[in-house]
mmCIF file of all heavy atoms in Angstrom:
data_model
loop_
_atom_site.group_PDB
_atom_site.id
_atom_site.type_symbol
_atom_site.label_atom_id
_atom_site.label_comp_id
_atom_site.label_asym_id
_atom_site.label_seq_id
_atom_site.Cartn_x
_atom_site.Cartn_y
_atom_site.Cartn_z
ATOM 1 N N LYS A 1 51.931 -56.465 -1.070
ATOM 2 C CA LYS A 1 53.198 -56.437 -0.340
ATOM 3 C C LYS A 1 53.201 -55.354 0.727
ATOM 4 O O LYS A 1 53.676 -55.556 1.844
ATOM 5 C CB LYS A 1 54.363 -56.216 -1.312
ATOM 6 C CG LYS A 1 54.647 -57.396 -2.221
ATOM 7 C CD LYS A 1 55.840 -57.102 -3.120
ATOM 8 C CE LYS A 1 56.164 -58.289 -4.008
ATOM 9 N NZ LYS A 1 57.317 -57.998 -4.910
ATOM 10 N N GLU A 2 52.661 -54.179 0.372
ATOM 11 C CA GLU A 2 52.615 -53.071 1.329
ATOM 12 C C GLU A 2 51.722 -53.415 2.517
ATOM 13 O O GLU A 2 52.032 -53.100 3.660
ATOM 14 C CB GLU A 2 52.107 -51.806 0.623
ATOM 15 C CG GLU A 2 52.183 -50.549 1.479
ATOM 16 C CD GLU A 2 53.602 -50.178 1.845
ATOM 17 O OE1 GLU A 2 54.511 -50.484 1.037
ATOM 18 O OE2 GLU A 2 53.797 -49.600 2.920
ATOM 19 N N LYS A 3 50.589 -54.091 2.246
ATOM 20 C CA LYS A 3 49.699 -54.506 3.326
ATOM 21 C C LYS A 3 50.378 -55.513 4.234
ATOM 22 O O LYS A 3 50.241 -55.462 5.456
ATOM 23 C CB LYS A 3 48.414 -55.099 2.748
ATOM 24 C CG LYS A 3 47.482 -54.065 2.120
ATOM 25 C CD LYS A 3 46.220 -54.723 1.595
ATOM 26 C CE LYS A 3 45.285 -53.682 0.974
ATOM 27 N NZ LYS A 3 44.060 -54.316 0.420
ATOM 28 N N LYS A 4 51.125 -56.475 3.625
ATOM 29 C CA LYS A 4 51.844 -57.455 4.430
ATOM 30 C C LYS A 4 52.908 -56.772 5.292
ATOM 31 O O LYS A 4 53.081 -57.097 6.468
ATOM 32 C CB LYS A 4 52.502 -58.502 3.528
ATOM 33 C CG LYS A 4 51.518 -59.459 2.890
ATOM 34 C CD LYS A 4 52.248 -60.513 2.065
ATOM 35 C CE LYS A 4 51.259 -61.500 1.456
ATOM 36 N NZ LYS A 4 51.967 -62.531 0.635
ATOM 37 N N LYS A 5 53.619 -55.802 4.683
ATOM 38 C CA LYS A 5 54.657 -55.074 5.416
ATOM 39 C C LYS A 5 54.039 -54.298 6.570
ATOM 40 O O LYS A 5 54.553 -54.296 7.692
ATOM 41 C CB LYS A 5 55.393 -54.128 4.462
ATOM 42 C CG LYS A 5 56.628 -53.472 5.077
ATOM 43 C CD LYS A 5 57.267 -52.510 4.095
ATOM 44 C CE LYS A 5 57.801 -53.233 2.879
ATOM 45 N NZ LYS A 5 58.514 -52.294 1.966
ATOM 46 N N THR A 6 52.894 -53.645 6.286
ATOM 47 C CA THR A 6 52.200 -52.899 7.343
ATOM 48 C C THR A 6 51.727 -53.836 8.440
ATOM 49 O O THR A 6 51.790 -53.516 9.626
ATOM 50 C CB THR A 6 51.001 -52.133 6.751
ATOM 51 O OG1 THR A 6 51.458 -51.287 5.694
ATOM 52 C CG2 THR A 6 50.316 -51.301 7.817
ATOM 53 N N GLY A 7 51.240 -55.020 8.032
ATOM 54 C CA GLY A 7 50.788 -56.005 9.016
ATOM 55 C C GLY A 7 51.901 -56.474 9.914
ATOM 56 O O GLY A 7 51.743 -56.590 11.132
ATOM 57 N N TRP A 8 53.092 -56.717 9.329
ATOM 58 C CA TRP A 8 54.250 -57.125 10.142
ATOM 59 C C TRP A 8 54.685 -56.005 11.073
ATOM 60 O O TRP A 8 55.048 -56.253 12.228
ATOM 61 C CB TRP A 8 55.405 -57.537 9.226
ATOM 62 C CG TRP A 8 55.322 -58.961 8.804
ATOM 63 C CD1 TRP A 8 54.975 -59.439 7.577
ATOM 64 C CD2 TRP A 8 55.570 -60.109 9.630
ATOM 65 N NE1 TRP A 8 54.983 -60.806 7.571
ATOM 66 C CE2 TRP A 8 55.360 -61.252 8.821
ATOM 67 C CE3 TRP A 8 55.945 -60.281 10.951
ATOM 68 C CZ2 TRP A 8 55.508 -62.533 9.310
ATOM 69 C CZ3 TRP A 8 56.097 -61.567 11.446
ATOM 70 C CH2 TRP A 8 55.879 -62.683 10.633
ATOM 71 N N ARG A 9 54.653 -54.777 10.584
ATOM 72 C CA ARG A 9 55.008 -53.648 11.449
ATOM 73 C C ARG A 9 54.048 -53.552 12.620
ATOM 74 O O ARG A 9 54.448 -53.313 13.759
ATOM 75 C CB ARG A 9 54.975 -52.344 10.647
ATOM 76 C CG ARG A 9 56.133 -52.196 9.668
ATOM 77 C CD ARG A 9 55.940 -50.953 8.827
ATOM 78 N NE ARG A 9 56.997 -50.811 7.834
ATOM 79 C CZ ARG A 9 56.979 -49.916 6.852
ATOM 80 N NH1 ARG A 9 55.942 -49.085 6.734
ATOM 81 N NH2 ARG A 9 57.980 -49.842 5.983
ATOM 82 N N ARG A 10 52.771 -53.741 12.328
ATOM 83 C CA ARG A 10 51.772 -53.689 13.399
ATOM 84 C C ARG A 10 51.996 -54.838 14.379
ATOM 85 O O ARG A 10 51.872 -54.672 15.597
ATOM 86 C CB ARG A 10 50.365 -53.761 12.801
ATOM 87 C CG ARG A 10 49.258 -53.647 13.835
ATOM 88 C CD ARG A 10 47.888 -53.712 13.180
ATOM 89 N NE ARG A 10 46.830 -53.633 14.175
ATOM 90 C CZ ARG A 10 46.350 -52.509 14.661
ATOM 91 N NH1 ARG A 10 46.835 -51.362 14.237
ATOM 92 N NH2 ARG A 10 45.389 -52.520 15.567
ATOM 93 N N TYR A 11 52.340 -56.015 13.859
ATOM 94 C CA TYR A 11 52.561 -57.176 14.717
ATOM 95 C C TYR A 11 53.771 -56.985 15.620
ATOM 96 O O TYR A 11 53.769 -57.375 16.788
ATOM 97 C CB TYR A 11 52.753 -58.419 13.830
ATOM 98 C CG TYR A 11 53.033 -59.684 14.605
ATOM 99 C CD1 TYR A 11 51.996 -60.360 15.258
ATOM 100 C CD2 TYR A 11 54.330 -60.192 14.694
ATOM 101 C CE1 TYR A 11 52.249 -61.525 15.975
ATOM 102 C CE2 TYR A 11 54.592 -61.349 15.412
ATOM 103 C CZ TYR A 11 53.554 -62.012 16.046
ATOM 104 O OH TYR A 11 53.809 -63.145 16.764
ATOM 105 N N LEU A 12 54.824 -56.366 15.067
ATOM 106 C CA LEU A 12 56.058 -56.181 15.826
ATOM 107 C C LEU A 12 56.007 -54.973 16.752
ATOM 108 O O LEU A 12 56.855 -54.841 17.626
ATOM 109 C CB LEU A 12 57.245 -56.045 14.858
ATOM 110 C CG LEU A 12 57.561 -57.284 14.012
ATOM 111 C CD1 LEU A 12 58.667 -56.956 13.010
ATOM 112 C CD2 LEU A 12 57.990 -58.455 14.897
ATOM 113 N N SER A 13 55.054 -54.092 16.561
ATOM 114 C CA SER A 13 54.964 -52.891 17.385
ATOM 115 C C SER A 13 54.168 -53.196 18.651
ATOM 116 O O SER A 13 53.035 -53.668 18.602
ATOM 117 C CB SER A 13 54.291 -51.762 16.596
ATOM 118 O OG SER A 13 54.147 -50.624 17.409
ATOM 119 N N LEU A 14 54.778 -52.907 19.822
ATOM 120 C CA LEU A 14 54.129 -53.200 21.095
ATOM 121 C C LEU A 14 52.923 -52.311 21.349
ATOM 122 O O LEU A 14 52.022 -52.693 22.101
ATOM 123 C CB LEU A 14 55.135 -53.030 22.243
ATOM 124 C CG LEU A 14 56.253 -54.063 22.321
ATOM 125 C CD1 LEU A 14 57.190 -53.708 23.455
ATOM 126 C CD2 LEU A 14 55.691 -55.464 22.527
ATOM 127 N N LYS A 15 52.904 -51.126 20.755
ATOM 128 C CA LYS A 15 51.869 -50.157 21.097
ATOM 129 C C LYS A 15 50.473 -50.599 20.664
ATOM 130 O O LYS A 15 49.476 -50.012 21.082
ATOM 131 C CB LYS A 15 52.181 -48.796 20.474
ATOM 132 C CG LYS A 15 52.166 -48.779 18.953
ATOM 133 C CD LYS A 15 52.562 -47.416 18.434
ATOM 134 C CE LYS A 15 52.556 -47.360 16.907
ATOM 135 N NZ LYS A 15 52.970 -46.039 16.391
ATOM 136 N N HIS A 16 50.379 -51.650 19.855
ATOM 137 C CA HIS A 16 49.080 -52.137 19.412
ATOM 138 C C HIS A 16 48.531 -53.237 20.329
ATOM 139 O O HIS A 16 47.481 -53.807 20.049
ATOM 140 C CB HIS A 16 49.166 -52.658 17.976
ATOM 141 C CG HIS A 16 49.557 -51.614 16.978
ATOM 142 N ND1 HIS A 16 48.747 -50.541 16.670
ATOM 143 C CD2 HIS A 16 50.682 -51.450 16.239
ATOM 144 C CE1 HIS A 16 49.353 -49.784 15.765
ATOM 145 N NE2 HIS A 16 50.527 -50.308 15.503
ATOM 146 N N TYR A 17 49.251 -53.550 21.412
ATOM 147 C CA TYR A 17 48.809 -54.560 22.364
ATOM 148 C C TYR A 17 48.429 -53.908 23.681
ATOM 149 O O TYR A 17 48.849 -52.791 23.992
ATOM 150 C CB TYR A 17 49.917 -55.594 22.606
ATOM 151 C CG TYR A 17 50.314 -56.379 21.377
ATOM 152 C CD1 TYR A 17 51.428 -56.014 20.623
ATOM 153 C CD2 TYR A 17 49.582 -57.485 20.967
ATOM 154 C CE1 TYR A 17 51.801 -56.725 19.499
ATOM 155 C CE2 TYR A 17 49.940 -58.213 19.841
ATOM 156 C CZ TYR A 17 51.050 -57.825 19.107
ATOM 157 O OH TYR A 17 51.412 -58.531 18.007
ATOM 158 N N SER A 18 47.683 -54.637 24.498
ATOM 159 C CA SER A 18 47.353 -54.151 25.835
ATOM 160 C C SER A 18 48.617 -54.141 26.684
ATOM 161 O O SER A 18 49.628 -54.787 26.359
ATOM 162 C CB SER A 18 46.298 -55.055 26.478
ATOM 163 O OG SER A 18 46.832 -56.358 26.700
ATOM 164 N N LEU A 19 48.551 -53.431 27.824
ATOM 165 C CA LEU A 19 49.725 -53.333 28.690
ATOM 166 C C LEU A 19 50.152 -54.697 29.226
ATOM 167 O O LEU A 19 51.349 -54.981 29.332
ATOM 168 C CB LEU A 19 49.435 -52.376 29.858
ATOM 169 C CG LEU A 19 49.516 -50.883 29.545
ATOM 170 C CD1 LEU A 19 49.128 -50.066 30.767
ATOM 171 C CD2 LEU A 19 50.927 -50.509 29.096
ATOM 172 N N ILE A 20 49.175 -55.539 29.586
ATOM 173 C CA ILE A 20 49.521 -56.871 30.098
ATOM 174 C C ILE A 20 50.262 -57.669 29.035
ATOM 175 O O ILE A 20 51.282 -58.316 29.308
ATOM 176 C CB ILE A 20 48.248 -57.612 30.543
ATOM 177 C CG1 ILE A 20 47.717 -57.005 31.843
ATOM 178 C CG2 ILE A 20 48.529 -59.098 30.754
ATOM 179 C CD1 ILE A 20 48.651 -57.162 33.025
ATOM 180 N N ARG A 21 49.758 -57.624 27.785
ATOM 181 C CA ARG A 21 50.457 -58.336 26.705
ATOM 182 C C ARG A 21 51.838 -57.747 26.470
ATOM 183 O O ARG A 21 52.800 -58.485 26.210
ATOM 184 C CB ARG A 21 49.628 -58.272 25.425
ATOM 185 C CG ARG A 21 48.384 -59.143 25.451
ATOM 186 C CD ARG A 21 47.723 -59.204 24.093
ATOM 187 N NE ARG A 21 46.576 -60.095 24.096
ATOM 188 C CZ ARG A 21 45.840 -60.373 23.014
ATOM 189 N NH1 ARG A 21 46.170 -59.815 21.847
ATOM 190 N NH2 ARG A 21 44.818 -61.190 23.089
ATOM 191 N N GLN A 22 51.939 -56.433 26.538
ATOM 192 C CA GLN A 22 53.251 -55.803 26.384
ATOM 193 C C GLN A 22 54.221 -56.293 27.461
ATOM 194 O O GLN A 22 55.376 -56.612 27.174
ATOM 195 C CB GLN A 22 53.121 -54.283 26.453
ATOM 196 C CG GLN A 22 52.431 -53.654 25.251
ATOM 197 C CD GLN A 22 52.426 -52.150 25.308
ATOM 198 O OE1 GLN A 22 53.383 -51.534 25.754
ATOM 199 N NE2 GLN A 22 51.340 -51.533 24.854
ATOM 200 N N LEU A 23 53.736 -56.353 28.711
ATOM 201 C CA LEU A 23 54.596 -56.822 29.806
ATOM 202 C C LEU A 23 55.016 -58.277 29.588
ATOM 203 O O LEU A 23 56.172 -58.638 29.823
ATOM 204 C CB LEU A 23 53.862 -56.679 31.135
ATOM 205 C CG LEU A 23 53.709 -55.254 31.680
ATOM 206 C CD1 LEU A 23 52.851 -55.253 32.925
ATOM 207 C CD2 LEU A 23 55.074 -54.651 31.980
ATOM 208 N N ILE A 24 54.063 -59.116 29.140
ATOM 209 C CA ILE A 24 54.390 -60.522 28.889
ATOM 210 C C ILE A 24 55.429 -60.640 27.780
ATOM 211 O O ILE A 24 56.398 -61.407 27.884
ATOM 212 C CB ILE A 24 53.111 -61.307 28.524
ATOM 213 C CG1 ILE A 24 52.179 -61.393 29.745
ATOM 214 C CG2 ILE A 24 53.467 -62.700 28.026
ATOM 215 C CD1 ILE A 24 50.830 -62.010 29.439
ATOM 216 N N ILE A 25 55.242 -59.868 26.695
ATOM 217 C CA ILE A 25 56.190 -59.916 25.581
ATOM 218 C C ILE A 25 57.574 -59.434 26.016
ATOM 219 O O ILE A 25 58.600 -60.067 25.724
ATOM 220 C CB ILE A 25 55.672 -59.072 24.402
ATOM 221 C CG1 ILE A 25 54.410 -59.704 23.802
ATOM 222 C CG2 ILE A 25 56.747 -58.915 23.328
ATOM 223 C CD1 ILE A 25 53.713 -58.843 22.769
ATOM 224 N N VAL A 26 57.604 -58.304 26.748
ATOM 225 C CA VAL A 26 58.892 -57.754 27.203
ATOM 226 C C VAL A 26 59.582 -58.727 28.147
ATOM 227 O O VAL A 26 60.787 -59.000 28.019
ATOM 228 C CB VAL A 26 58.673 -56.383 27.885
ATOM 229 C CG1 VAL A 26 59.948 -55.925 28.568
ATOM 230 C CG2 VAL A 26 58.231 -55.350 26.859
ATOM 231 N N PHE A 27 58.823 -59.286 29.110
ATOM 232 C CA PHE A 27 59.429 -60.212 30.066
ATOM 233 C C PHE A 27 59.928 -61.475 29.365
ATOM 234 O O PHE A 27 61.024 -61.974 29.665
ATOM 235 C CB PHE A 27 58.416 -60.572 31.152
ATOM 236 C CG PHE A 27 58.948 -61.570 32.144
ATOM 237 C CD1 PHE A 27 59.853 -61.174 33.120
ATOM 238 C CD2 PHE A 27 58.555 -62.895 32.086
ATOM 239 C CE1 PHE A 27 60.367 -62.091 34.017
ATOM 240 C CE2 PHE A 27 59.058 -63.824 32.989
ATOM 241 C CZ PHE A 27 59.965 -63.416 33.960
ATOM 242 N N SER A 28 59.111 -62.016 28.446
ATOM 243 C CA SER A 28 59.534 -63.226 27.719
ATOM 244 C C SER A 28 60.794 -62.956 26.905
ATOM 245 O O SER A 28 61.708 -63.790 26.870
ATOM 246 C CB SER A 28 58.400 -63.695 26.800
ATOM 247 O OG SER A 28 57.234 -63.982 27.540
ATOM 248 N N SER A 29 60.852 -61.787 26.261
ATOM 249 C CA SER A 29 62.039 -61.428 25.469
ATOM 250 C C SER A 29 63.265 -61.327 26.366
ATOM 251 O O SER A 29 64.346 -61.837 26.027
ATOM 252 C CB SER A 29 61.805 -60.110 24.733
ATOM 253 O OG SER A 29 60.692 -60.196 23.867
ATOM 254 N N LEU A 30 63.093 -60.685 27.512
ATOM 255 C CA LEU A 30 64.220 -60.554 28.447
ATOM 256 C C LEU A 30 64.653 -61.917 28.974
ATOM 257 O O LEU A 30 65.853 -62.185 29.136
ATOM 258 C CB LEU A 30 63.833 -59.636 29.608
ATOM 259 C CG LEU A 30 63.650 -58.151 29.262
ATOM 260 C CD1 LEU A 30 63.169 -57.381 30.484
ATOM 261 C CD2 LEU A 30 64.959 -57.550 28.762
ATOM 262 N N ALA A 31 63.683 -62.810 29.256
ATOM 263 C CA ALA A 31 64.014 -64.144 29.754
ATOM 264 C C ALA A 31 64.796 -64.937 28.700
ATOM 265 O O ALA A 31 65.776 -65.620 29.022
ATOM 266 C CB ALA A 31 62.737 -64.881 30.152
ATOM 267 N N ILE A 32 64.352 -64.833 27.434
ATOM 268 C CA ILE A 32 65.049 -65.542 26.347
ATOM 269 C C ILE A 32 66.468 -65.005 26.192
ATOM 270 O O ILE A 32 67.438 -65.770 26.063
ATOM 271 C CB ILE A 32 64.264 -65.414 25.028
ATOM 272 C CG1 ILE A 32 62.939 -66.182 25.134
ATOM 273 C CG2 ILE A 32 65.092 -65.923 23.852
ATOM 274 C CD1 ILE A 32 62.005 -65.958 23.957
ATOM 275 N N ILE A 33 66.601 -63.667 26.201
ATOM 276 C CA ILE A 33 67.936 -63.066 26.094
ATOM 277 C C ILE A 33 68.808 -63.502 27.266
ATOM 278 O O ILE A 33 69.999 -63.813 27.102
ATOM 279 C CB ILE A 33 67.811 -61.529 26.049
ATOM 280 C CG1 ILE A 33 67.147 -61.095 24.749
ATOM 281 C CG2 ILE A 33 69.183 -60.863 26.182
ATOM 282 C CD1 ILE A 33 66.823 -59.617 24.683
ATOM 283 N N PHE A 34 68.187 -63.569 28.453
ATOM 284 C CA PHE A 34 68.936 -63.966 29.646
ATOM 285 C C PHE A 34 69.446 -65.398 29.509
ATOM 286 O O PHE A 34 70.596 -65.698 29.825
ATOM 287 C CB PHE A 34 68.022 -63.835 30.870
ATOM 288 C CG PHE A 34 68.730 -63.996 32.177
ATOM 289 C CD1 PHE A 34 69.402 -62.936 32.746
ATOM 290 C CD2 PHE A 34 68.722 -65.217 32.831
ATOM 291 C CE1 PHE A 34 70.058 -63.082 33.947
ATOM 292 C CE2 PHE A 34 69.377 -65.379 34.035
ATOM 293 C CZ PHE A 34 70.049 -64.298 34.603
ATOM 294 N N ILE A 35 68.571 -66.292 29.019
ATOM 295 C CA ILE A 35 68.951 -67.702 28.903
ATOM 296 C C ILE A 35 69.957 -67.923 27.773
ATOM 297 O O ILE A 35 70.931 -68.667 27.916
ATOM 298 C CB ILE A 35 67.695 -68.567 28.679
ATOM 299 C CG1 ILE A 35 66.815 -68.533 29.944
ATOM 300 C CG2 ILE A 35 68.072 -70.003 28.341
ATOM 301 C CD1 ILE A 35 65.468 -69.185 29.770
ATOM 302 N N VAL A 36 69.718 -67.249 26.633
ATOM 303 C CA VAL A 36 70.555 -67.489 25.448
ATOM 304 C C VAL A 36 71.900 -66.764 25.528
ATOM 305 O O VAL A 36 72.922 -67.290 25.078
ATOM 306 C CB VAL A 36 69.788 -67.057 24.173
ATOM 307 C CG1 VAL A 36 70.676 -67.146 22.939
ATOM 308 C CG2 VAL A 36 68.545 -67.902 23.988
ATOM 309 N N VAL A 37 71.918 -65.562 26.127
ATOM 310 C CA VAL A 37 73.137 -64.752 26.116
ATOM 311 C C VAL A 37 73.804 -64.683 27.490
ATOM 312 O O VAL A 37 74.984 -64.999 27.636
ATOM 313 C CB VAL A 37 72.816 -63.315 25.627
ATOM 314 C CG1 VAL A 37 74.072 -62.453 25.655
ATOM 315 C CG2 VAL A 37 72.232 -63.353 24.222
ATOM 316 N N ILE A 38 73.025 -64.313 28.509
ATOM 317 C CA ILE A 38 73.616 -64.058 29.820
ATOM 318 C C ILE A 38 74.138 -65.339 30.464
ATOM 319 O O ILE A 38 75.250 -65.372 30.997
ATOM 320 C CB ILE A 38 72.596 -63.372 30.749
ATOM 321 C CG1 ILE A 38 72.092 -62.071 30.108
ATOM 322 C CG2 ILE A 38 73.212 -63.090 32.107
ATOM 323 C CD1 ILE A 38 73.175 -61.055 29.863
#
């Protein structure tokens, strides 16, 4: 369970991805929020 929890934390943490992937994730998240909420 602890390994799974650590794995999810690593998956959800942006700092474990390259900058390009971070930018894609951030932009996609903002686009989804924009479409769903704004």
Side-chain angles (χ1 to χ4, degrees):
K1 290 182 178 179
E2 187 64 30
K3 288 181 180 178
K4 288 183 178 180
K5 189 182 295 184
T6 304
W8 274 106
R9 287 174 183 171
R10 183 179 179 85
Y11 178 77
L12 295 175
S13 177
L14 291 177
K15 65 183 180 181
H16 298 293
Y17 298 98
S18 65
L19 281 177
I20 287 296
R21 288 189 177 183
Q22 290 185 37
L23 287 175
I24 292 173
I25 293 172
V26 170
F27 178 76
S28 301
S29 301
L30 291 176
I32 292 172
I33 292 173
F34 190 83
I35 293 172
V36 174
V37 178
I38 303 299

